[in-house]
């Protein structure tokens, strides 16, 4: 079974780049380079149109892209690139917003999103800055011990300070970013550096244990991003690729983050220290963008629920992408809407952006069970938060696969045989398009409503309450809300994983007591959907969601006990209080760097899924094979990720990632190869990482790490 690779994987690999040498106007770009060391609530009712996208900042500046450094208090210099407007009058000053992450802005992620963002806003009188995390890209210092470290956030605070004092700066600074840059923007906003006036973020997590890629919903997960970023961290600087003693000490020989993440396999201070969900309210203005197919979408709603009334939020139908190009669409030009946000908070323009409705969401009509959906049907709506007119509706699983409107009497339980390799249809996380879920449902308990007589529309968090029992102390549950079409196809609406060890407290996990009933409760990730007449509402329940959820070690079975304690709660739109949005700004052409191009046709290796229910063997693999040229240097990135398990021996599951990054400056070749392996048994996760660095086909350095980490409740 062959399926197209998720664009999420490509986005993680290619994300957040910028060109080093360029000059821009409406349609041109030329080379330029500078290097410097710097020291130091009234809401609308009824149908509404998209806001007037004309802006006081639609000025048509030309710009240059310049490179420099920002010196931190400890003397370490961070590499920065600026999209710099050319002043239209002597001494003209500009506000600035920036992003900092570890994605190597100058080479491997050069060809991606930063240039279109920088060019758009520089033409409108903003300086846009991109900063390499210390120890990565062209920045000095050592790779931090993990992402979102205290050092990283302290550096961000100092960057705010330094940017506010530039001779070209008005003193007003913003932060922005998608994913990593969104995470640390929220964290820095809590620190409230004086010059930071607002943030604009997309796809951010406020709960690093439950909603990041290391432990999805509290369940052990191995993600393609983990191997990717640990490989990035072992590469030399982007200027000369110098293999110096400092490079080996500060990068290549540093312990891979893999061991840090897997070594903290329960919730606690490590994860909560910077998770906004568990800290005082973020008080700065926040514009947050989410996606109905993004794994971090719940953060949007939690921020709207916070006491901070200066939160503006959009949730569209796409995955881990910006709204102008995200799939599936429909799309809109988010930069036009962001411009009004920045005009208000960084330029002090009274444009009414904060008097508009705070919340906009795409309400989906049934989306066919296909992984190739480019555009969803439905409509944009916006209005008050919290949404009025939502009325809960409870449905109850019952024997013979029925989903009833009233609780059945307590009868015999429904038995579910654990099949560790099932669940591949959802892929890597709750953030991808999926095909027909029927194959996943074969390894699940399935409960269907009667065919609907009228449309049932939901907006919000569905919830499940399950009374279960099991024959072993460690299992996990996956719950999926699905739409059964009249022709029998099954679309995924949303889902969630449940780790029963967290049922009393995430901070004090407790095992299941074999054969004793336990009550589990969970929100299903935020969603919108219209179940149409003649469709059925389905609740699917399983103990596996491979490879998203690492298999638990015991071969056996669990039981679901129907009755009043087992239910599905739907947030049904009883009365629509949101206004239809028309006339959103259309996506505009994006400008890309003139001195770089993809030079290979194979931009992604297909995902391969092989699950044989008869033998129990399951193999899931995905990868990339990407070539590009930036000026005189060529790059070849190859990755292959493979997960394996067998239903008959779920304790012994494996994950292996092999990465090969080849960089060819004129007259030279560097190749970094890394192998990451996780192999579980009944008691441990056995981790190993091997790094090898070659120069002109000669092995220059090799280092290996091995560690066994107790499984605890996974």
């Amino acid at each position: 079974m062959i399926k197209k690779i998720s664009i999420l994987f490509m986005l993680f690999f290619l994300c957040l780049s910028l060109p080093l040498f360029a000059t821009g106007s409406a349609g041109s770009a030329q080379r330029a380079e500078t290097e410097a060391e710097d020291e130091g609530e009234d809401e609308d009712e009824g149908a509404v149109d998209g806001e007037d996208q004309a802006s006081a900042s639609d000025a048509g500046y030309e710009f240059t892209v310049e490179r420099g450094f920002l010196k931190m208090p400890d003397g370490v210099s961070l590499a920065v690139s600026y999209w710099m407007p050319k002043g239209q009058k002597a001494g003209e000053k500009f506000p600035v917003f920036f992003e900092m992450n570890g994605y190597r802005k100058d080479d491997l992620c050069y060809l991606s999103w930063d240039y279109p963002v920088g060019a758009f806003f520089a033409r409108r009188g903003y300086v846009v800055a991109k900063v390499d995390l210390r120890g990565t890209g062209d920045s000095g210092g050592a790779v931090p011990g993990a992402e979102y470290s205290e050092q990283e956030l302290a550096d961000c605070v100092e960057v705010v300070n330094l940017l506010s004092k530039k001779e070209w700066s008005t003193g007003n600074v913003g932060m922005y970013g998608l994913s990593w840059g969104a995470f640390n923007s929220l964290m820095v906003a809590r620190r409230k550096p004086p010059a930071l006036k607002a943030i604009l973020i997309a796809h951010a997590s406020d709960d690093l244990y439950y909603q990041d890629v290391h432990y999805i919903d509290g369940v052990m997960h191995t993600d393609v991003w983990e191997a990717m970023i640990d490989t990035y961290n072992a590469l030399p600087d982007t200027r000369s690729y110098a293999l110096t003693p400092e490079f080996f000490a500060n990068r290549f020989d540093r312990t891979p983050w893999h061991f840090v993440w897997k070594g903290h396999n329960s919730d606690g201070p490590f994860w909560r220290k910077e998770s906004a969900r568990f800290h005082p309210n973020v008080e700065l203005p926040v514009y947050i963008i989410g996606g109905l197919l993004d794994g971090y979408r719940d953060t949007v709603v939690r921020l709207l629920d916070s006491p901070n009334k200066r939160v503006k939020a959009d949730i569209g139908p796409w995955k881990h992408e910006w709204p102008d190009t995200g799939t599936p669409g429909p799309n809109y030009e988010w930069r036009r809407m962001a411009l009004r946000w920045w005009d208000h908070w960084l330029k002090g323009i009274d444009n009414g952006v904060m008097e508009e409705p705070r919340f906009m969401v795409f309400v989906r009509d049934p989306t066919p069970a296909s992984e190739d959906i480019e555009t969803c049907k439905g409509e944009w709506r916006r209005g008050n938060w919290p949404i009025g007119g939502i009325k809960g509706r409870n449905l109850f699983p019952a024997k013979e696969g029925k989903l009833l409107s009233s609780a059945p009497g307590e009868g015999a339980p429904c038995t579910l045989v654990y099949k560790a390799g099932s669940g591949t249809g959802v892929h890597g996380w709750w953030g991808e398009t999926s095909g027909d879920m029927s194959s996943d449902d074969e390894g699940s308990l399935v409960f269907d409503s009667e065919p609907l007589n009228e449309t049932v529309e939901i907006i919000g968090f569905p919830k499940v309450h399950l009374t279960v029992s099991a024959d072993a102390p460690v299992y996990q549950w996956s719950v999926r809300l699905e739409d059964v079409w009249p022709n029998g196809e099954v679309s995924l609406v949303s889902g969630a994983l449940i780790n029963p060890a967290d049922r009393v407290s995430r901070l004090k996990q407790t095992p299941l007591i074999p054969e004793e009933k336990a009550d589990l409760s969970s929100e299903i990730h935020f969603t919108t959907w219209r179940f149409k007449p003649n469709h059925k509402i389905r609740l699917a329940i399983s103990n596996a969601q491979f490879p998203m959820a690492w298999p638990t070690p015991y071969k056996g079975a669990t039981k679901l006990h129907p009755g009043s304690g087992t239910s599905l709660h739907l947030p049904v739109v009883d009365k629509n209080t949101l206004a239809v949005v028309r006339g959103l700004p259309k996506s505009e052409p994006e400008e890309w760097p003139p001195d770089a191009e993809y030079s290979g046709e194979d931009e992604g290796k297909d995902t391969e899924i092989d699950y044989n229910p008869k033998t129990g063997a399951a193999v899931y693999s995905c990868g990339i094979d990407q070539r590009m040229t930036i000026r005189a240097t060529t790059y070849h990135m190859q990755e292959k990720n493979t997960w394996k398990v067998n239903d008959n021996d779920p304790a012994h599951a494996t994950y292996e990632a092999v990465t090969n990054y080849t960089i060819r400056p004129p007259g030279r070749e560097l190749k970094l190869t890394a192998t990451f392996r996780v192999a579980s048994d009944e008691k441990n996760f056995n981790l190993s990482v091997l790094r090898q660095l070659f120069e002109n086909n000669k092995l220059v350095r090799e280092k290996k790490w091995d560690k066994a980490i107790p499984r605890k409740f996974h």
Side-chain angles (χ1 to χ4, degrees), residues 333-396:
E333 186 47 78
W334 70 274
R335 294 172 297 183
R336 284 282 173 186
M337 300 170 75
L339 184 63
R340 301 180 69 244
W341 175 260
W342 292 129
D343 280 355
H344 180 81
W345 291 110
L346 299 187
K347 290 188 176 181
I349 298 173
D350 185 9
N351 56 17
V353 69
M354 297 309 293
E355 283 71 54
E356 298 163 8
R358 292 202 297 144
F359 179 58
M360 184 173 76
V361 65
F362 188 79
V363 180
R364 295 182 292 175
D365 283 332
T367 300
S370 170
E371 298 184 36
D372 299 316
I373 296 295
E374 295 183 359
T375 302
C376 293
K377 293 183 178 179
E379 64 184 15
W380 289 101
R381 296 184 193 165
R382 67 177 180 178
N384 292 307
W385 186 268
I387 301 171
I390 303 295
K391 185 176 181 181
R393 180 181 300 180
N394 292 322
L395 298 172
F396 299 88

Side-chain angles (χ1 to χ4, degrees), residues 19-25 28-35 62-67 82 86 106 110 115 591-597 629-633 635 666:
L20 297 178
F21 314 104
T23 295
S25 60
S28 67
Q30 302 171 353
R31 286 192 161 190
E33 177 180 10
T34 65
E35 297 186 15
E62 293 186 352
F63 67 92
T64 58
V65 180
E66 304 172 0
R67 182 172 67 181
Y82 304 99
K86 292 183 177 181
D106 297 341
Y110 184 82
Y115 193 89
E591 184 177 336
W592 300 102
D595 55 355
E597 64 179 357
T629 301
I630 303 172
R631 294 176 292 281
T633 300
Y635 304 84

